[in-house]
Amino acid sequence: MKKLTDGRYVGTGQGMHGVYRVAVEIVRGKIVKVEVLDQHGTEQFPDLAVKEIPKKF
């Protein structure tokens, strides 16, 4: 795997309920934080993913 460059990166992706913005923080070449900046989900989905996926990093 290619080494990741340290920093904070913001990207977007299209979801079923709109565009999502996500920030990823890289420290010493590893992902240390994932943060959902904008979300448009419902209480069940993808709000559950928004809460659970960042914990896995």
Side-chain angles (χ1 to χ4, degrees):
M1 182 174 171
K2 183 179 174 183
K3 183 175 178 180
L4 303 173
T5 303
D6 289 358
R8 184 173 190 262
Y9 301 90
V10 177
T12 60
Q14 180 65 44
M16 288 179 61
H17 301 284
V19 176
Y20 290 74
R21 279 189 327 133
V22 178
V24 177
E25 186 175 347
I26 310 295
V27 176
R28 295 187 187 125
K30 296 186 179 193
I31 297 171
V32 296
K33 184 176 182 182
V34 176
E35 180 181 7
V36 178
L37 303 174
D38 295 326
Q39 64 166 317
H40 310 285
T42 63
E43 189 170 321
Q44 183 180 1
F45 183 84
D47 285 353
L48 181 60
V50 166
K51 292 176 186 171
E52 296 301 319
I53 291 173
K55 292 178 188 177
K56 299 190 183 294
F57 290 93

